[in-house]
């Protein structure tokens, strides 16, 4: 406590000194002096709560997922069995000229969509870039900070394009989920209808992914958020209906983001377990004889 | 009746430090009451800006235990017994005296924003669905807690390049107004510094009016900026439709 007090006194002293210099120089209290950043020592704060717990948990969660996804993407086996195809490898793109894992050809799309997502940006700017680590806690960087106004973070503006691509991938994942409802090789043959643990996991995954994808801030803007008048035309009234529905999803965007991140990892893990004969895909019922 | 241990910043442009006070706590008391007790009983020269004590004027903004808060909304009973309560001025703005800072920079930013510009043939009839979004922004009481907590202003001191979340809300309230025809996108991109915001949502966390500053104002503005500056397809369609 005493150390913190001393640090703060020093902060305040620097700040007052800076203001005094400013007053002497220009007699203008509202002007700022770009060269001097007063009272800004890294991680200085008066907060006594566990402010570090949130960003630390998020950093841990992201790191574990990134490690798992990277290992699985490069593993290049145990990603397909019977009617189950891992979401990391879907759509399965196989070309003669490509000699590496097909996951690499597809994973950049969901990765890019999440990396540019407004929720994830908040999360990793806090947890990894420490700008700031928490509210009221001094982060990294001084006056040169330029946020998303310059390279590299200006690239975040491609988010809506990543959304378009992610929607295509999502449609393919729905197709994969539908395939789990039929025994392998009998897609849309209703005499071979079945429902397995794999079906349950695949459908949960695509529902969570849909909740996340269609609650996206960019989509919210595209369906009607960009309009100023909702009542002006029949088209804008319809847009408002869509906008309201997307807004409902968007209000829990963080929850959908985490649910879908966990579900996509777990779905892949389940496929790996089945493909490597660790567990069977238990079938609840099947019409196939 | 228990006592609260408070450390209140005392000082001005020449220097300052925390001063310790013991304040008797009564039911329903807020930090601003404690500050008034100190003024009344111990240090009559303690400087504090306040007005309504009802969380509507936005005057009594300060940092209570490191959190930008309205003193009139910070209940004394929310602190544990024996917990030392630190009260200090907003860190982002120049200190005048004790708990009072000079927030006039904010008013200068406000002047830079193009005011409400109605269409010439405006019919002045508005429907609830059109103004609902804007009404949320009108709840702002200009306490400037969002400006204080915003790391772009607080840590990086980019007051020369970024107008801050409060004025993003104001721009949003005008841009989304169904009768307004002013265009503030160029200002927002070139001078307002919307790109400086990295949407870490601290402004939304501290807002005493619970305005969803980031989700409902800043991000929609960022998306409109994308329309105008970074998305050639959207720009193409916007050009076609605006001509029609």
């Amino acid at each position: 406590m005493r150390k913190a007090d001393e640090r703060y006194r020093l902060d305040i002293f620097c700040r007052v000194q800076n203001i005094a210099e400013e007053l002497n120089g220009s007699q203008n209290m509202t002007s700022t002096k770009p060269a001097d950043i007063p009272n800004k020592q890294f991680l200085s704060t008066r907060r006594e709560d566990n402010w570090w717990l949130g960003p630390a948990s998020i950093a841990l969660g992201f790191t574990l997922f990134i490690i798992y996804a990277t290992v699985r993407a490069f593993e290049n086996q145990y990603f397909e069995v019977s009617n189950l195809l891992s979401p990391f490898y879907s759509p399965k793109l196989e070309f003669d000229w490509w000699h590496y894992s097909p996951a690499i050809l597809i994973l950049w799309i969901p990765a890019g969509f999440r990396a540019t997502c407004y929720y994830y940006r908040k999360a990793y700017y806090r947890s990894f870039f420490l700008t700031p680590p928490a509210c009221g806690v001094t982060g990294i960087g001084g006056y040169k900070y330029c946020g998303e106004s310059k390279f590299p973070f200006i690239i975040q503006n491609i988010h809506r394009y990543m959304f378009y691509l992610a929607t295509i991938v999502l449609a393919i994942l729905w197709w994969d989920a539908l395939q789990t409802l039929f025994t392998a090789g009998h897609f849309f043959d209703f005499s071979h209808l079945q429902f397995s643990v794999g079906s349950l996991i695949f459908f949960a995954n695509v529902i969570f992914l849909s909740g996340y994808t269609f609650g996206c801030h960019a989509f919210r803007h595209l369906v009607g958020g960009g309009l100023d008048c909702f009542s002006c035309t029949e088209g804008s009234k319809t847009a408002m209906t869509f906008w309201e529905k997307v807004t409902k999803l968007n209000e829990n965007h963080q929850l959908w983001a985490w649910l879908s991140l966990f579900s996509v990892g777990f779905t892949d893990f389940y496929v790996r377990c089945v493909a490597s004969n660790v567990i069977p895909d238990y079938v609840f019922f099947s019409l196939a004889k | 009746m228990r006592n609260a241990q408070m450390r209140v910043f005392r000082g001005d442009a020449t220097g300052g430090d925390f001063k310790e006070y013991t304040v008797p706590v009564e039911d329903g008391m807020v930090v601003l009451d404690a500050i008034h007790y100190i003024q009344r009983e111990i240090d009559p020269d303690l400087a504090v800006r306040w007005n309504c004590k009802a969380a509507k004027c936005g005057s009594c903004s300060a940092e209570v235990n490191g959190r930008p808060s309205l003193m009139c909304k910070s209940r004394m009973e929310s602190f544990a017994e024996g917990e030392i309560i630190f009260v200090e001025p907003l860190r982002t703005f120049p200190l005048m005296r004790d708990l009072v800072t000079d927030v006039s920079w904010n008013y200068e930013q406000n002047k830079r924003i193009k005011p409400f510009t109605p269409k010439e043939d405006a019919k002045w009839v508005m429907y609830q669905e059109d103004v609902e979004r804007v009404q949320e922004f009108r709840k702002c009481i200009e306490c400037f807690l969002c400006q204080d907590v915003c790391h772009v202003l607080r840590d990086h001191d980019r007051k020369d390049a970024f107008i801050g979340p409060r004025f993003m809300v104001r721009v949003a309230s005008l841009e989304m107004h169904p009768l307004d025809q002013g265009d503030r996108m160029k200002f927002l991109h070139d001078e307002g510094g919307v790109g400086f915001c990295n949407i870490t949502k601290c402004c939304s966390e501290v807002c005493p009016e619970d305005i969803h500053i980031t989700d409902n104002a800043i991000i929609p503005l960022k998306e409109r900026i994308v329309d105008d500056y970074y998305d050639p397809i959207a720009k193409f369609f916007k050009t076609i439709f605006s001509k029609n």
Side-chain angles (χ1 to χ4, degrees), chain A residues 21-83:
Chain A
E21 282 171 10
E22 214 170 273
L23 280 170
N24 288 338
S26 65
Q27 293 297 313
N28 178 7
M29 283 201 73
T30 61
S31 71
T32 53
K33 206 172 157 190
D36 295 325
I37 308 294
N39 79 336
K40 306 306 175 197
Q41 290 173 350
F42 179 48
L43 298 184
S44 76
T45 182
R46 284 243 58 89
R47 286 179 63 172
E48 298 275 332
D49 60 328
N50 295 328
W51 58 262
W52 50 270
L53 198 58
S57 311
I58 288 169
L60 180 68
F62 284 172
T63 305
L64 289 176
F65 182 84
I66 291 166
I67 291 170
Y68 175 78
T70 308
V71 168
R72 282 292 288 143
F74 285 96
E75 191 177 18
N76 200 13
Q77 60 177 335
Y78 305 131
F79 58 81
E80 188 175 25
V81 57
S82 182
N83 54 354

Side-chain angles (χ1 to χ4, degrees), chain A residues 161, chain B residues 226-227 229-239:
Chain A
Y161 284 94
Chain B
V226 174
D227 284 347
Y229 288 88
Y230 303 107
D231 182 352
I233 298 172
K235 195 171 170 60
F236 172 76
F237 280 108
K238 202 171 176 179
T239 310

Side-chain angles (χ1 to χ4, degrees), chain A residues 8 15 40 135 143 161 231, chain B residues 88 93 130 160 202 231:
Chain A
Y8 185 75
R15 180 181 183 185
K40 306 306 175 197
C135 304
Y143 178 75
Y161 284 94
S231 65
Chain B
E88 59 193 284
F93 302 108
D130 291 327
D160 57 333
C202 287
D231 182 352

Side-chain angles (χ1 to χ4, degrees), chain B residues 136-154:
Chain B
E136 182 192 10
F137 306 141
R138 301 288 292 209
K139 290 194 299 181
C140 178
I141 57 173
E142 294 208 320
C143 59
F144 302 128
L145 291 178
C146 57
Q147 301 284 84
D148 179 53
V149 80
C150 174
H151 72 106
V152 181
L153 305 174
R154 183 187 179 94

Side-chain angles (χ1 to χ4, degrees), chain B residues 5 17-18 24 131 176 212 216 227-228:
Chain B
Q5 296 301 313
D17 203 349
F18 281 98
V131 291
M176 295 179 191
H212 295 89
N216 291 347
D227 284 347
D228 284 6

